[in-house]
Amino acid sequence: YQFGNGFYFSQFGALSGGVYAATDPLAIFSRSLQHDRTLSAFGSATVHASEQLRLNLGLRYSTVRKRGRYSAALGISDDNLDRDAFVPGPQSAANILIPLIGGSLGDYANPRRTDNKLMPSVSVQYDLVPEVTAYASYTKGFKAGGYGAILSNAEFAPENVDAYEIGLKGSAFDRRLQFGIGGFIRKVKGL
């Protein structure tokens, strides 16, 4: 449950078609519920191409299923937006005021969604000397889409990321000193 977004000082009540006064402490009480189920399968392998060169390969497949429910009501509350003090108002006032604040009262247009993604990863490691390793990697990542929960029954799409990294790792002085330096770039789509 979410409760909040009082409009006491914004005088939205004056726009309600006579239902509320400009000084009424308007509030929105919203409820959202989301169930998720994630299934993933993954595997990895390392190929030793030579004594110094290793190739690491990985593959992951994920499917994320979500179900969402959303409802909201516009009404009045006290100055502290106490949920127990909330009194729902008539639908006619909500039909006028909710579009003005960019919110929604009804359920999600698509209350069920499924996102699937195949995500490869590959890295190369090369031992420059026994104590120093250079590496480069690429990984595809994914975050499933879902549902908004505050003032909106909006649905959002998945995010995808392509991550690249290069660097050096090593040790010195009989492994009393360990070091690493790296650089990375992440390209996100659908943020």
Side-chain angles (χ1 to χ4, degrees):
Y1 296 106
Q2 298 286 338
F3 184 73
N5 298 315
F7 300 99
Y8 183 72
F9 297 107
S10 59
Q11 302 182 343
F12 273 112
L15 304 173
S16 67
V19 176
Y20 298 112
T23 57
D24 284 339
L26 298 182
I28 292 179
F29 175 56
S30 63
R31 298 176 188 181
S32 64
L33 179 65
Q34 183 171 292
H35 294 280
D36 298 17
R37 188 183 93 186
T38 302
L39 298 172
S40 289
F42 57 91
S44 64
T46 300
V47 177
H48 294 270
S50 71
E51 188 73 25
Q52 294 87 13
L53 181 64
R54 291 171 302 287
L55 178 64
N56 302 299
L57 303 169
L59 192 62
R60 173 183 295 268
Y61 180 80
S62 291
T63 183
V64 181
R65 293 184 181 155
K66 294 187 178 186
R67 290 179 312 167
R69 303 279 308 166
Y70 177 85
S71 65
L74 180 113
I76 58 172
S77 186
D78 60 12
D79 291 344
N80 297 320
L81 297 174
D82 184 357
R83 186 170 78 191
D84 294 331
F86 179 75
V87 177
Q91 186 66 40
S92 61
N95 290 341
I96 295 169
L97 295 174
I98 291 297
L100 296 176
I101 60 172
S104 304
L105 297 179
D107 204 354
Y108 299 112
N110 299 306
R112 295 177 187 267
R113 64 173 295 121
T114 301
D115 294 309
N116 303 299
K117 193 66 174 181
L118 184 65
M119 296 164 281
S121 65
V122 61
S123 71
V124 177
Q125 297 175 316
Y126 185 77
D127 297 331
L128 301 172
V129 295
E131 298 84 17
V132 179
T133 300
Y135 66 91
S137 70
Y138 164 78
T139 304
K140 178 164 270 310
F142 162 77
K143 179 178 156 188
Y147 302 100
I150 299 176
L151 276 185
S152 175
N153 61 2
E155 185 176 345
F156 56 89
E159 296 176 19
N160 294 285
V161 64
D162 292 305
Y164 305 87
E165 184 174 358
I166 60 170
L168 289 172
K169 294 180 183 179
S171 63
F173 308 114
D174 290 328
R175 296 188 179 191
R176 288 187 301 236
L177 172 67
Q178 295 187 358
F179 61 89
I181 185 168
F184 63 89
I185 295 174
R186 291 194 175 114
K187 296 181 181 180
V188 179
K189 297 174 188 161
L191 181 63

